[in-house]
Amino acid sequence: MAEAALGLGSNLGDRAGHLAAALRAIDAQPDCSLVSVSSAYRTQPWGKTDQGEFLNLCAIIETRLTPLDLLGAVKGIEQALGRTAGERWGPREIDIDILMMDGLVLEDETLTLPHPRMAERLFVLVPLAEIAPDLVVAGQRADELAMALKTKAGADDCTIDAEASARIRSGLSPIRGS
């Protein structure tokens, strides 16, 4: 089994509901199981800033899928949950990114691992550091990178949403490591 880190986000509709449904769908995949899920964080949009705030979280999964098969599975989950094609970095019902997979380096026209911009994104590093602080991202520990980005960020750029976190977790089967 390979271990993969996923980043999930939503800023349209029932954001917590979309995230919970995505996690359940990932866990329901025949060759995937959730290992740990971070808290949900209210985050400011990145790239395209004239849109509503996001809820973001990260998950660690174990999978027998290849990286490209996992990509196909998560893109299928996005479509099943109502994700529509839109502008790059624009509003979305659900977004699921494969961040890393067992230290694999991959450059394919459809998938690059590790995710090429994850070290720049507070909304990825803070939840990832919560569940995998020792994970090495761009040559540094996830918790160290997250702390460095947090010192440059605004106070409201990435904050735990306790209510959304509880709602998301209440809809999940018990997860090892939670």
Side-chain angles (χ1 to χ4, degrees), residues 3-174:
E3 192 170 88
L6 305 178
L8 293 83
S10 174
N11 78 332
L12 290 178
D14 179 3
R15 299 174 306 161
H18 291 311
L19 293 170
L23 290 167
R24 286 191 303 272
I26 291 165
D27 201 40
Q29 293 290 310
D31 291 315
C32 294
S33 62
L34 290 173
V35 174
S36 59
V37 176
S38 74
S39 301
Y41 290 80
R42 288 186 317 272
T43 64
Q44 299 304 308
W46 188 94
K48 180 175 174 12
T49 58
D50 62 339
Q51 59 183 315
E53 100 181 340
F54 278 79
L55 269 184
N56 287 97
L57 58 78
C58 286
I60 303 294
I61 67 167
E62 286 186 342
T63 184
R64 286 190 173 87
L65 297 175
T66 67
L68 294 177
D69 289 339
L70 179 58
L71 179 65
V74 299
K75 294 307 167 195
I77 290 167
E78 287 178 350
Q79 286 184 328
L81 294 177
R83 173 138 184 204
T84 54
E87 61 189 310
R88 185 173 187 183
W89 298 322
R92 61 205 76 166
E93 294 84 358
I94 188 71
D95 184 41
I96 308 169
D97 289 328
I98 304 170
L99 303 173
M100 302 179 87
M101 193 165 178
D102 265 355
L104 181 67
V105 175
L106 175 69
E107 287 198 38
D108 181 83
E109 59 191 40
T110 57
L111 179 64
T112 300
L113 292 176
H115 190 287
R117 290 170 298 283
M118 67 186 280
E120 306 163 9
R121 296 179 172 175
L122 187 66
F123 66 86
V124 169
L125 288 173
V126 169
L128 186 59
E130 178 186 323
I131 58 174
D134 297 332
L135 191 66
V136 176
V137 176
Q140 282 189 271
R141 287 172 42 120
D143 59 350
E144 293 170 350
L145 273 173
M147 187 59 69
L149 287 179
K150 272 190 112 161
T151 62
K152 298 175 188 172
D156 294 328
D157 284 356
C158 189
T159 57
I160 289 178
D161 187 320
E163 184 178 318
S165 297
R167 185 172 161 224
I168 291 165
R169 286 195 173 113
S170 74
L172 298 177
S173 300

